[in-house]
Amino acid sequence: MDAPARTARRLTEPKLVVASHNKGKIFEIRMLVAPFGIETVSAGELGLPEPEETATTFEGNATLKSLASATASGLPALADDSGLVVPAIGGDPGIYSARWAGESKDFGLAMRKVEDALQAVGATTPDQRRAFFVAVLSLAWPDGHVEEFRGEVHGTLIWPPRGDMGFGYDPMFLPDGHDRTFGEMSGEEKHGLGAATGPLSHRARAFELFARECLEG
Ligand code: IMP
């Protein structure tokens, strides 16, 4: 017999900490939460420290961040851990996607490193240049309860990068079924907000699950 489906805890508090210090992510998470009328404050605005990401999975790092903010602030906190996974190069940069950009957060350099690694293994055809973005959203409460949601979007990596919208690795990522990179799409398009085909970005897909389980109804 199947185990009964687990019911997620609902978010009933009117204020939520966005447990991130990354401006691009804070902006995107705020955009996704806004329609639900929830007030947000970022970890940076509250002066909360940025915990070191010592876990070895997206889930582990997301929860490390959400729990740190929830316990320090006394408010529920939502964190996102995300990255680009490229199977041809052993899953890199994966959970180290931010670190590949170095201290100066230079994503031109990070994209170049991915391209160099692909060239080093002779990955030249679209089939060999498959990649996916992962986003795990973790919602933690001050009492230690946690809910996690994972979203993925699959595509191919192109070179040279195209477009100057979005952030991070967006300009080299061509999502399946589209002829423009994430770097050439507006935020609405990248997330697929209101699109008949449903959410597009990894973050919007994780967010849809989060909203369905914790916010709606
Ligand atoms: P972290 O989740 O703070 O460890 O950082 C994840 C890193 O993955 C970001 O700094 C970006 O480099 C990359 N990344 C995550 N989501 C996206 C996205 O939507 N577009 C482009 N790059 C992303």
Side-chain angles (χ1 to χ4, degrees), residues 56-71:
T56 53
T57 60
F58 291 108
E59 280 78 3
N61 281 326
T63 291
L64 198 141
K65 292 184 271 189
S66 64
L67 268 179
S69 283
T71 17

Side-chain angles (χ1 to χ4, degrees), residues 82 133-135 151-153 182 190 200-207:
S82 50
F133 275 119
V134 176
E152 294 184 2
V153 57
F182 270 175
K190 174 179 167 183
L200 176 60
S201 74
H202 47 315
R203 196 161 292 107
R205 287 176 176 174
F207 190 83

Side-chain angles (χ1 to χ4, degrees), residues 144-203:
H145 183 86
V146 173
E147 299 286 349
E148 292 171 349
F149 305 95
R150 173 184 271 243
E152 294 184 2
V153 57
H154 292 242
T156 51
L157 297 179
I158 60 135
W159 197 261
R162 294 197 321 241
D164 55 10
M165 291 190 265
F167 67 101
Y169 300 86
D170 279 345
M172 74 182 299
F173 184 79
L174 193 62
D176 287 344
H178 294 260
D179 54 14
R180 280 171 313 128
T181 68
F182 270 175
E184 294 173 299
M185 294 184 181
S186 66
E188 278 80 8
E189 237 183 316
K190 174 179 167 183
H191 296 310
L193 299 181
T197 44
L200 176 60
S201 74
H202 47 315
R203 196 161 292 107

Side-chain angles (χ1 to χ4, degrees), residues 17-30:
V17 180
V18 180
S20 176
H21 289 75
N22 173 324
K23 279 192 191 133
K25 275 199 212 171
I26 295 169
F27 180 81
E28 290 195 351
I29 292 176
R30 282 195 155 139

Side-chain angles (χ1 to χ4, degrees), residues 85-109:
V85 179
V86 187
I89 56 172
D92 280 341
I95 59 166
Y96 304 111
S97 294
R99 280 178 230 179
W100 275 39
E103 286 279 305
S104 57
K105 306 201 172 172
D106 180 348
F107 282 96
L109 173 78

Side-chain angles (χ1 to χ4, degrees), residues 25-42:
K25 275 199 212 171
I26 295 169
F27 180 81
E28 290 195 351
I29 292 176
R30 282 195 155 139
M31 183 182 197
L32 293 166
V33 174
F36 295 91
I38 296 164
E39 191 191 334
T40 56
V41 57
S42 77

